[in-house]
Amino acid sequence: MAEGERAEQSGGLGRPPREGEAGALDRAEALKSQANEFFKGKDYENAVKYYSEAIDLNPANAIYYGNRSLAYLRTECYGYALSDATKAIELDKKYIKGYYRRATSNMALGKFKAALRDYETVVKVKPNDKDAKMKYQECNKIVKQKAFERAIASDEHKRSVVDSLDIESMTIEDEYSGPKLDNGKVTLAFMKELMQWYKDQKKLHRKCAYQTEKVTVCGDTHGQYYDLLNIFELNGLPSETNPYIFNGDFVDRGSFSVEVILTLFGFKLLYPDHFHLLRGNHETDNMNQIYGFEGEVKAKYTAQMFALFSEVFEWLPLAQCINGKVLIMHGGLFSEDGVTLDDIRKIERNRQPPDSGPMCDLLWSDPQPQNGRSVSKRGVSCQFGPDVTKSFLERNQLDYIIRSHEVKPEGYEVTHEGKCITVFSAPNYCDQMGNKGSYIHLRGSDLRPEFHQFTAVPHPNVKPMAYANTLLQLGMM
């Protein structure tokens, strides 16, 4: 098992206990042992709870923070994981796993230089550790690649990838027997054939790939193609009478992201006014580089194809308002008060998202049960409370918001007195979370939400993250 992968055993304060401390230390160790069992069972929420109780009894134990950091990593709370790893290092400068976990947190947040510094520390302490050396070299390669990209970047207007494509000169070989466009157009027959073709794990020809009263709202699908097909089985194919909204994070993690996104794009072309795609935080270059979509596209097609996907993602809408009553976005509400629908419309979205501001918030923020705002568990944007939701809805004369972005055991969650709904459509996320998926029907003049749950279906034996960055394939996450 790779370094930094398992919850660790510990041994108290690292100094003789003072009078009255021994009992507290024993209770802390017992709580830590319970937390470790929850961690092994992939119940990360309870693992965090019991590590936290152990920390309350013994706040000077670096290993408790290190273990909780790893549990936070597994639940994608990268900001909290980073904070815990940093605290563990402050308590014990020789705690090597603290450096590993801080590096992992920074990698997940796209802070490659900061990650590199921690890997460098580990290599200096353990120069003969092949695993540490390999991680350092991989991270160093990414940092150099980013520096090279910045060096060759031009301030001139970026030329579209489309301008470099010569689709007409691409020939479809005689032996290709898969789906073909009808005079360059997507048809329903083409889409049905395409979905079966992908289900059989075959590849669409690159020429076709380049050309290509109820509303159903779906959340994250994350490259889980066979679960996407199951949604269409359960709820019907998209059509002019069966419209859909997919709320971001179509790609990454799942290893059938190409099939997911080309199917979704196909339906967008077939039903442009009845099939809608909103941008998620994973429709961005940094996330795609780390979590697999870039690697998958390059493996199945070309680097040029990924560049075109990147360009298209930048044009995806950030939010959608339904009948002036319901606002849908991937992440959530804003770090500052006073944002209006007109402010959202004015966002310059044709770019990679900044580290803060309204565009970042729409893609990254999360709700919290208490009023006000707090630091994000992810290390990006913020967490917002019921009062923030109420104020935003009143200002914009809306009834409620729908967002995605978070795994939920039941596939959905209703919070903030019914005003904030989360929907997540990737069941058994990454083949390990055991959660249900769900989608929402909005009907009638009041757009009352109806929740429909479903479970994961079998898929071919290709593991999630198969195309992810090498560091993440090593089991660090």
Side-chain angles (χ1 to χ4, degrees):
M1 192 174 277
E3 181 76 46
E5 193 175 5
R6 61 168 69 84
E8 191 175 358
Q9 304 299 319
S10 61
L13 282 168
R15 60 167 172 78
R18 299 188 184 99
E19 186 175 353
E21 280 184 342
L25 296 185
D26 289 343
R27 291 197 300 276
E29 280 294 294
L31 287 165
K32 180 266 301 172
S33 296
Q34 285 181 274
N36 286 353
E37 290 305 310
F38 281 119
F39 186 93
K40 290 175 186 175
K42 299 181 181 179
D43 185 349
Y44 303 121
E45 185 175 341
N46 273 315
V48 166
K49 174 185 174 184
Y50 282 91
Y51 287 137
S52 298
E53 291 180 12
I55 288 169
D56 288 342
L57 290 171
N58 185 1
N61 191 306
I63 290 173
Y64 295 172
Y65 286 98
N67 284 3
R68 190 171 71 175
S69 176
L70 185 58
Y72 278 137
L73 283 170
R74 295 293 171 87
T75 56
E76 302 182 16
C77 297
Y78 303 127
Y80 289 175
L82 181 62
S83 177
D84 272 359
T86 299
K87 181 65 176 178
I89 294 167
E90 288 173 1
L91 290 170
D92 184 356
K93 294 286 193 296
K94 296 180 180 179
Y95 181 54
I96 296 302
K97 288 189 177 182
Y99 294 97
Y100 269 111
R101 288 170 190 165
R102 189 165 71 177
T104 302
S105 304
N106 278 314
M107 281 289 296
L109 292 167
K111 299 177 180 178
F112 304 114
K113 283 187 176 180
L116 183 62
R117 287 194 293 270
D118 282 331
Y119 285 132
E120 189 172 16
T121 299
V122 175
V123 169
K124 285 179 180 178
V125 174
K126 305 178 85 173
N128 297 320
D129 187 326
K130 293 181 180 179
D131 181 63
K133 192 176 296 184
M134 187 273 296
K135 289 171 183 172
Y136 169 78
Q137 290 170 346
E138 180 65 24
C139 189
N140 192 35
K141 184 169 71 175
I142 294 173
V143 169
K144 288 181 177 179
Q145 179 185 339
K146 292 286 184 184
F148 176 73
E149 289 171 356
R150 287 193 299 271
I152 64 173
S154 170
D155 291 333
E156 298 175 13
H157 180 68
K158 185 179 175 183
R159 184 169 178 252
S160 171
V161 177
V162 175
D163 295 335
S164 64
L165 293 175
D166 184 6
I167 296 173
E168 292 305 315
S169 69
M170 295 179 186
T171 58
I172 297 180
E173 297 79 7
D174 292 339
E175 59 268 24
Y176 176 74
S177 60
K180 296 177 184 176
L181 297 170
D182 184 2
N183 292 320
K185 295 186 185 264
V186 174
T187 63
L188 181 58
F190 171 85
M191 289 305 304
K192 288 181 176 179
E193 189 179 356
L194 174 68
M195 288 188 291
Q196 185 60 49
W197 189 254
Y198 277 156
K199 191 174 183 179
D200 296 337
Q201 298 187 75
K202 297 176 181 178
K203 190 173 81 170
L204 179 66
H205 193 280
R206 69 188 184 110
K207 182 168 184 175
C208 300
Y210 275 120
Q211 291 175 323
T212 141
E213 286 350 40
K214 167 191 84 177
V215 176
T216 300
V217 182
C218 298
D220 305 39
T221 49
H222 274 302
Q224 296 185 196
Y225 184 65
Y226 294 82
D227 294 310
L228 173 65
L229 293 182
N230 190 37
I231 292 173
F232 293 148
E233 284 278 333
L234 296 170
N235 193 57
L237 288 176
S239 70
E240 293 178 354
T241 58
N242 191 26
Y244 278 82
I245 299 170
F246 279 84
N247 195 23
D249 280 14
F250 322 117
V251 301
D252 281 338
R253 296 191 179 275
S255 296
F256 304 96
S257 292
V258 166
E259 290 79 2
V260 167
I261 194 60
L262 288 179
T263 299
L264 296 179
F265 280 175
F267 278 119
K268 180 62 180 173
L269 290 169
L270 182 59
Y271 302 115
D273 297 325
H274 300 88
F275 193 86
H276 304 281
L277 303 173
L278 304 183
R279 191 176 186 180
N281 64 301
H282 277 267
E283 279 70 59
T284 57
D285 287 354
N286 261 359
M287 293 294 102
N288 295 161
Q289 182 180 32
I290 301 167
Y291 293 101
F293 184 58
E294 180 178 343
E296 183 182 343
V297 176
K298 289 179 177 178
K300 294 178 179 179
Y301 290 102
T302 62
Q304 184 188 47
M305 175 75 90
F306 174 74
L308 183 57
F309 274 121
S310 173
E311 190 174 319
V312 173
F313 287 163
E314 290 186 348
W315 284 109
L316 290 175
L318 300 173
Q320 186 158 353
C321 189
I322 308 298
N323 292 355
K325 293 177 178 288
V326 180
L327 187 67
I328 304 173
M329 78 290 285
H330 180 74
L333 296 180
F334 305 95
S335 303
E336 297 182 358
D337 292 326
V339 177
T340 66
L341 295 183
D342 277 341
D343 293 329
I344 296 174
R345 293 185 186 102
K346 292 173 184 175
I347 294 173
E348 176 52 62
R349 72 177 191 265
N350 181 26
R351 57 174 172 161
Q352 294 301 306
D355 293 333
S356 61
M359 181 177 180
C360 175
D361 294 333
L362 285 167
L363 298 174
W364 278 97
S365 70
D366 295 294
Q368 63 180 20
Q370 68 273 26
N371 281 337
R373 294 180 176 88
S374 62
V375 175
S376 170
K377 61 189 177 184
R378 301 176 189 268
V380 185
S381 185
C382 70
Q383 295 176 184
F384 59 94
D387 57 331
V388 175
T389 301
K390 183 173 184 290
S391 175
F392 174 82
L393 294 175
E394 288 176 352
R395 172 178 288 272
N396 291 283
Q397 298 182 320
L398 297 166
D399 291 347
Y400 61 93
I401 65 170
I402 296 176
R403 41 89 63 182
S404 300
H405 196 38
E406 288 184 284
V407 183
K408 297 298 177 184
E410 296 301 312
Y412 71 94
E413 184 177 64
V414 181
T415 57
H416 295 185
E417 299 179 343
K419 302 299 185 183
C420 178
I421 295 172
T422 298
V423 58
F424 194 84
S425 303
N428 194 25
Y429 181 46
C430 288
D431 285 358
Q432 67 173 3
M433 298 304 290
N435 60 290
K436 294 176 183 176
S438 77
Y439 51 85
I440 301 173
H441 287 163
L442 303 181
R443 296 179 186 271
S445 59
D446 62 352
L447 297 179
R448 186 184 185 90
E450 299 174 1
F451 302 98
H452 299 264
Q453 297 169 296
F454 59 98
T455 55
V457 297
H459 63 76
N461 188 26
V462 182
K463 293 182 179 180
M465 306 286 279
Y467 301 96
N469 180 277
T470 306
L471 289 173
L472 301 189
Q473 292 178 13
L474 295 171
M476 293 174 60
M477 302 297 287

